Amino acid sequence: MAALEAYASRNADEVHTDVLLKGRHACYKSRDAFYACLEKESNKKPTEIASVGLLYPAECKALRAQFVNHCRASWVKHFDRLYCKNKRVRRLLDDGGETRRGI
């Protein structure tokens, strides 16, 4: 509890602009642009590695840099995990319930 009070007293006047409305909108915009690029370039071989094992093509590298610059690192990691999870679920649903095990 003492550590929290010490942190609060040190940073009492500091405003984190990335969590304010304009910062969040910039983050969401860059996130959406990056993931739209991933969907558009999905037929190309992924050569770049992002957080949580997300792979993406080099064509999306500039959009990834914007995404990372506009969002907090914890948000980027969260959005990457969410994207991977949704992609996995979509793939399983598109398979029609068939397993990928060898027959």
Side-chain angles (χ1 to χ4, degrees), residues 15-25 28 70 72 75:
V15 176
H16 297 281
T17 56
D18 58 347
V19 296
L20 297 178
L21 185 65
K22 285 184 181 179
R24 287 195 317 266
H25 281 293
Y28 299 154
H70 284 111
R72 287 182 164 205
W75 293 8

Side-chain angles (χ1 to χ4, degrees), residues 27-28 30-31 34-35 38 49-56 64 66-86 88:
C27 173
Y28 299 154
S30 60
R31 172 200 64 187
F34 172 67
Y35 291 129
L38 279 183
I49 300 173
S51 65
V52 300
L54 176 67
L55 301 172
Y56 62 96
R64 177 68 185 188
Q66 273 186 329
F67 176 40
V68 169
N69 287 336
H70 284 111
C71 299
R72 287 182 164 205
S74 60
W75 293 8
V76 170
K77 196 173 186 179
H78 167 75
F79 290 137
D80 284 348
R81 282 186 178 143
L82 198 61
Y83 177 81
C84 290
K85 180 185 76 92
N86 291 338
R88 189 170 41 251

